[in-house]
């Protein structure tokens, strides 16, 4: 949403800084102001310090025009960023962001943590396919540009790519819809050209390195001129007596430009064979070159137009003629301002989130100060009258009715106690469980480490080659509080004098029951391609749980396996239509086999499972009373300790699901301390 109804759109070009200030009146937009600040020399001039030239022009813009009180949207050249496009597989809308992120990793030639990126989806009315445009820029490059703007006091809220802004301008000005004829936008800049194809609700962008600089260089080589002189000759070509020789010198660049346009259009039509492109609209001052439109029309066999005026944007007053003369160069700034007003077709903002959030808070500080002042005044008004009333009541004599009511209450209480109506209250462990839950939050990093160790034990016995042998699907913990032990409560499960494996080893209760103490239930769902799932489980996860019920330095005991429930759903790749076999270990320790009706197949790219510790509330009265720090500590431990294998790539056979459910009982503080001291 736009922060105001006024926006400055700024294009930082290589020939000049172009800016336009628009205001929205609810129905349309009007030009409030505009600026064109040319550089002393074109930035493509050899041996020119481009950063210094940019700072001078930006400083002139900031000093000569009032940029305050308006949203600021800035563009960066198309060649400074990336625009990539892909067709998405059919997925539910809520899964689109995950699929787009997967595509971004494949399409952007840098790690995602090194870029700022955004995306836009496109849907054609005649096709069920969903396409996505991914727009990105490296963090170093955008940080450099933002620092330069900050040096002259310009703090933008929106940063977008130049070709995206140009498309937004024409899509708004010409009212593009899904039925609009296939259109090519060709914006020829100083050092590069942005080609945008808009067709059937889709957008496709390519930037190639041919621009006004190449035309100027052709004149430098043909006529042995200095670069500034050749630039001047190029701009005056249409009125020069040597126009024919000038155009002949630039003809090779014309041909290179046409070849790149043909190559781009051909590639797009190879992806969309039904596409019908009927016209080309030219932008940029290079389109003033005589003969360029005619040459493009002959070579491309398309109607070629030059942007002579904006249809939905007019300037008024004495500066109107100057505005109309610069329509060709103001389209990108126009599109930036349209995005700042929230009227854009593509909403790609590459502004770093941290900087954007900081700017928003800074802008709201004055409102917070005003609100705080009003709150203080309102609070004072609320308390003045109660304080006066309290003083009046304190000075008044105490009514006799109050003493009579207190006496009557005490008599009734005595009579109820004597009659046995009022007795000792029953024990409620809710509060105790809540306190214990907070006390035992350090248990969760150890549970996460157990998960990592289980995965390592499975890796050592893999039979599937390089494919991930074990993949975590879900991980849940349920805090049950203090659970009454089974069997003889007089046994001491923490006695290390019996059959333990050395000092500090906790002996299981000799009657087979679970030890008493705060209990946490753990449920993990694994997926594995191993063909012999039962044997694989017994040799890996089951064996690990049996061998590690109690360990020095771990603040809990894994309860005996009799109350552990494991459900296998064994997939058989050789017989894909056969129902899955299900084997269950019930609480009595007996095995029972059954035929399952439904198998769950995993295919295609899946969202990577993240090892997140999640407390759920069905199993205990205190399960929802957990500090946020407990979650954070557990999750950080999973990230550091649990080497969960990545998601299974598409093309592998089906997997089996293993649901492992077991409980751990937290040791008393003294037992944990004695072990830690070993």
């Amino acid at each position: 949403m736009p922060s105001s109804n006024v926006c400055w759109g700024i294009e930082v070009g290589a020939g000049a800084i172009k800016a336009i200030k628009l205001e929205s009146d609810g129905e349309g937009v009007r030009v409030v102001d505009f600026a064109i600040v040319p550089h002393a020399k074109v930035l493509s001039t050899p041996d020119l310090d481009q950063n210094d030239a940019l700072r001078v022009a930006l400083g002139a813009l900031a000093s000569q025009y009032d940029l305050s009180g308006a949203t600021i949207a800035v563009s960066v050249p198309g060649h400074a960023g990336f625009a990539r496009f892909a067709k998405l597989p059919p997925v539910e809308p809520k899964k689109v962001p995950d699929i787009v992120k997967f595509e971004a990793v494949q399409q952007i030639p840098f790690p995602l943590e090194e870029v700022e990126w955004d995306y836009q989806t496109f849907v054609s009315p005649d096709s069920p396919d969903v396409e996505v445009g991914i727009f990105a820029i490296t963090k170093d490059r955008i940080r450099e540009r933002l620092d330069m703007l900050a040096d002259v006091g310009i703090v933008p809220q929106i940063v977008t790519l130049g070709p995206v802004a140009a498309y937004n301008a024409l899509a708004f000005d010409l009212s593009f819809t899904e039925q609009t004829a296939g259109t090519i936008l060709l914006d020829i800049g100083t050092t590069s050209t942005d080609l945008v194809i808009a067709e059937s609700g889709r957008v496709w962008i390519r930037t190639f390195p041919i621009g006004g600089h190449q035309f100027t260089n052709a004149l430098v080589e043909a006529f042995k001129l200095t670069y500034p002189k050749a630039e001047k000759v190029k701009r005056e070509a249409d009125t020069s007596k040597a126009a024919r020789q000038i155009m002949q010198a630039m003809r090779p660049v014309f041909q290179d430009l046409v070849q790149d346009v043909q190559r781009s259009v051909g590639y797009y039509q190879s992806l969309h064979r039904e596409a019908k492109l009927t016209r080309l609209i030219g932008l940029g001052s290079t389109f003033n070159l005589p003969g360029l439109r005619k040459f493009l029309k002959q070579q491309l066999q398309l109607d070629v137009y030059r942007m002579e005026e904006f249809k939905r944007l007019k300037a008024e007053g004495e500066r109107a003629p100057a505005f109309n003369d610069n329509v060709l160069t103001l389209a990108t700034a126009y599109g930036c301002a349209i995005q700042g007003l929230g009227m854009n077709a593509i909403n790609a903002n590459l502004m770093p989130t941290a900087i954007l959030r900081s700017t928003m808070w800074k802008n709201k500080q004055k409102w917070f100060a005003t609100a705080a002042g009003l709150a203080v005044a309102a609070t004072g008004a609320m308390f003045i009258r109660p304080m006066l009333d309290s003083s009046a009541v304190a000075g008044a004599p105490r009514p006799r009715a109050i003493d009579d009511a207190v006496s009557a209450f005490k008599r009734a209480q005595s009579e109820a106690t004597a009659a046995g109506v009022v007795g000792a209250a029953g024990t409620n462990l809710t509060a105790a469980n809540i306190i214990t839950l907070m006390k035992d939050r350090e248990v969760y990093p150890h549970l996460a480490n157990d998960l990592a160790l289980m995965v390592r034990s499975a890796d050592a016995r893999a039979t599937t080659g390089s494919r991930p042998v074990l993949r975590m699907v879900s991980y849940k913990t349920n805090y049950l509080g203090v659970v009454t032990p089974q069997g003889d409560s007089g046994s001491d499960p923490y006695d290390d004098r019996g059959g333990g494996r050395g000092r500090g080893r906790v002996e299981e209760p000799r009657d087979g029951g679970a030890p008493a103490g705060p209990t946490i239930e753990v449920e993990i769902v694994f997926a594995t391609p191993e063909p012999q799932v039962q044997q694989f489980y017994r040799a890996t996860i089951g064996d690990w749980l049996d061998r590690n019920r109690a360990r020095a330095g771990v603040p809990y005991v894994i309860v005996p396996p009799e109350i552990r429930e494991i459900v296998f759903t064994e997939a058989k790749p050789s017989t894909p239509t056969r129902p899955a076999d299900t084997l269950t270990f019930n609480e009595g320790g007996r095995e029972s086999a059954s035929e399952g009706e439904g198998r769950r197949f995993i295919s295609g790219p899946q969202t990577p499972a993240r090892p997140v510790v999640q407390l759920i509330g069905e199993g205990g009265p205190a399960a929802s009373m957990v500090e946020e720090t407990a979650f954070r500590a557990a999750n950080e431990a999973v990230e550091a300790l649990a080497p969960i294998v990545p998601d299974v790539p598409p093309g592998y056979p089906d997997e089996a699901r293993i649901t492992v459910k077991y409980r751990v009982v937290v040791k008393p503080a003294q037992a944990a301390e004695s072990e830690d001291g070993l």
Side-chain angles (χ1 to χ4, degrees):
M1 294 296 291
S3 59
S4 71
N5 65 336
V6 180
C7 179
W8 272 102
I10 302 174
E11 179 194 3
V12 184
I17 305 295
K18 282 86 71 175
I20 184 169
K21 184 179 183 180
L22 300 183
E23 181 179 23
S24 170
D25 57 8
E27 297 180 357
V29 295
R30 71 179 187 90
V31 180
V32 179
D33 202 355
F34 73 96
I36 297 178
V37 183
H39 301 298
K41 293 183 179 180
V42 178
L43 297 188
S44 55
T45 302
D47 301 324
L48 178 69
D49 190 324
Q50 295 186 6
N51 289 337
D52 284 348
L54 280 173
R55 285 190 176 89
V56 170
L58 288 169
L61 174 69
S63 62
Q64 297 173 19
Y65 295 87
D66 182 11
L67 305 182
S68 63
T71 302
I72 296 179
V74 178
S75 72
V76 293
H79 63 81
F82 312 98
R84 301 290 187 267
F85 298 85
K87 186 177 295 185
L88 301 182
V91 294
E92 299 177 17
K94 64 180 181 181
K95 294 184 179 179
V96 167
D98 295 326
I99 299 298
V100 170
K101 186 174 182 180
F102 174 81
E103 288 291 343
V105 172
Q106 310 302 316
Q107 301 282 351
I108 298 175
F110 291 92
L112 284 190
E113 60 270 16
E114 295 181 8
V115 299
E116 298 290 344
W117 68 284
D118 204 348
Y119 72 93
Q120 179 86 23
T121 56
F122 306 101
V123 179
S124 173
D126 301 327
S127 172
D129 296 333
V130 177
E131 297 186 29
V132 61
I134 301 171
F135 312 100
I137 187 172
T138 62
K139 290 183 176 180
D140 290 342
R141 183 165 289 176
I142 195 170
R143 190 181 300 114
E144 179 183 358
R145 179 54 53 88
L146 292 175
D147 288 344
M148 183 180 298
L149 292 169
D151 288 344
V152 297
I154 300 176
V155 181
Q157 288 79 45
I158 295 171
V159 176
T160 191
L161 294 180
V164 172
Y167 170 77
N168 280 336
L170 269 67
F172 174 81
D173 198 74
L174 301 179
S175 302
F176 281 4
T177 66
E178 291 84 355
Q179 286 73 40
T180 299
T183 303
I184 301 172
L185 309 181
L186 194 65
D187 186 0
I188 304 178
T190 301
T191 58
S192 63
T193 294
D194 296 323
L195 183 144
V196 182
I197 296 179
E199 180 262 336
S200 284
R202 294 185 293 252
V203 176
W204 186 83
I205 296 172
R206 178 174 177 248
T207 299
F208 47 87
I210 295 180
H213 169 69
Q214 281 70 27
F215 288 97
T216 304
N217 259 348
L219 297 179
V220 169
E221 295 175 1
F223 302 115
K224 308 304 178 183
L225 303 174
T226 63
Y227 193 93
K229 180 64 175 178
E231 184 71 21
K232 185 173 184 289
V233 169
K234 182 184 73 174
R235 293 179 181 179
E236 299 172 353
D238 56 337
T239 60
S240 174
K241 295 180 180 180
R244 188 179 190 87
Q245 292 85 347
I246 293 173
M247 298 306 299
Q248 190 65 29
M250 293 190 295
R251 186 176 181 83
V253 185
F254 279 26
Q255 293 174 339
D256 291 342
L257 176 66
V258 167
Q259 287 177 2
D260 266 306
V261 173
Q262 290 174 330
R263 187 180 300 114
S264 301
V265 173
Y267 178 76
Y268 178 82
Q269 290 182 325
S270 71
L271 299 177
H272 306 282
R273 299 188 181 279
E274 76 287 357
K276 295 181 180 180
L277 305 178
T278 61
R279 62 178 177 172
L280 183 149
I281 300 176
L283 301 172
S285 59
T286 303
F287 258 90
N288 286 319
L289 287 175
L292 178 57
R293 280 189 295 167
K294 182 179 179 180
F295 186 79
L296 289 172
K297 183 176 182 178
Q298 291 174 345
Q299 299 297 319
L300 300 176
Q301 297 298 304
L302 295 172
D303 293 331
V304 178
Y305 303 92
R306 185 173 64 186
M307 203 69 185
E308 303 286 357
E309 64 176 356
F310 296 128
K311 299 188 179 301
R312 300 179 65 180
L313 197 65
K314 303 294 182 184
E316 300 176 355
E318 60 182 13
R319 299 192 67 199
F323 180 83
N324 294 332
D325 290 342
N326 289 280
V327 164
L328 268 176
T329 62
L330 285 172
T332 300
Y334 180 9
C336 289
I338 286 296
Q339 183 170 351
L341 295 175
M343 300 179 178
N344 49 286
I346 298 179
N347 188 29
N349 189 358
L350 303 180
M351 188 71 181
T353 304
I355 298 177
L356 186 60
R357 186 182 298 117
S358 174
T359 303
M360 291 174 62
W361 279 106
K362 184 177 180 180
N363 292 337
K364 292 180 179 180
Q365 283 179 352
K366 59 182 180 180
W367 301 109
F368 290 156
T370 302
L374 292 174
V376 170
T379 303
M382 290 172 55
F383 280 101
I384 289 174
R385 185 51 188 253
M387 290 174 63
L388 295 175
D389 292 344
S390 177
S391 299
V393 171
R398 178 170 173 169
R400 182 175 178 80
I402 295 177
D403 295 330
D404 293 342
V406 172
S407 299
F409 170 75
K410 290 181 178 180
R411 286 196 302 271
Q413 187 181 41
S414 299
E415 292 172 359
T417 302
V421 176
V422 179
T427 303
N428 189 331
L429 296 179
T430 299
N433 279 339
I434 293 174
I435 295 173
T436 304
L437 175 61
M438 300 306 299
K439 181 184 68 176
D440 297 327
R441 62 188 179 185
E442 72 278 0
V443 168
Y444 293 95
H446 289 276
L447 291 174
N449 193 42
D450 283 357
L451 175 60
L453 296 175
M454 290 182 203
V455 172
R456 289 177 182 173
S457 71
D459 288 340
R461 298 175 180 268
T463 64
T464 56
S466 61
R467 182 180 176 186
V469 68
L470 204 60
R471 181 171 63 89
M472 190 191 74
V473 178
S474 65
Y475 183 89
K476 297 180 181 178
T477 62
N478 189 11
Y479 187 85
L480 303 179
V482 179
V483 179
T484 304
Q486 303 173 2
D488 183 9
S489 60
S491 61
D492 181 8
Y494 302 102
D495 184 1
D496 61 353
R497 296 170 297 175
R501 304 178 185 177
R503 188 169 182 266
R505 175 69 180 181
V506 179
E507 184 182 20
E508 300 164 6
R510 285 177 286 277
D511 58 357
T519 301
I520 300 172
E521 186 177 68
V522 181
E523 180 178 330
I524 316 173
V525 178
F526 290 110
T528 179
E530 288 290 318
Q532 302 297 326
V533 183
Q534 301 172 25
Q535 294 86 335
F536 175 70
Y537 164 76
R538 292 192 182 96
T540 57
I541 302 172
D543 178 65
W544 189 92
L545 288 169
D546 289 337
R547 290 186 292 102
N548 294 276
R549 295 182 189 171
R551 290 157 289 164
V554 178
Y556 52 77
V557 178
I558 300 175
V559 298
E562 285 75 22
I563 68 168
R564 186 173 68 237
E565 180 183 73
I566 302 97
V567 179
F568 303 94
T569 303
E570 183 175 351
K572 293 179 171 54
S574 60
T575 56
T577 59
R578 176 179 173 180
D581 296 332
T582 301
L583 180 66
T584 303
F585 283 84
N586 55 31
E587 294 191 0
R590 298 183 297 275
E591 297 184 8
S592 60
S594 62
E595 291 291 325
E597 292 298 324
R599 291 177 56 201
R600 190 173 179 187
F601 295 93
I602 305 297
S603 63
Q606 303 293 316
T607 302
R610 303 299 299 168
V612 177
V613 179
Q614 176 186 4
L615 300 187
I616 57 177
E618 289 83 354
S624 63
M625 304 295 292
V626 183
E627 282 186 337
E628 183 181 354
T629 53
F631 284 98
R632 188 159 51 247
N635 288 329
E636 289 175 354
V638 172
E639 293 286 348
L641 300 174
I644 305 305
V645 296
D647 216 357
V648 177
Y652 284 106
D654 302 326
E655 300 172 307
R657 295 294 177 91
I658 307 176
T659 301
V660 181
K661 185 185 292 184
Y662 61 93
R663 295 181 179 182
V664 300
V665 180
V666 180
K667 303 175 186 178
Q670 59 270 24
E673 290 173 1
S674 65
E675 291 186 1
D676 292 341
L678 288 178

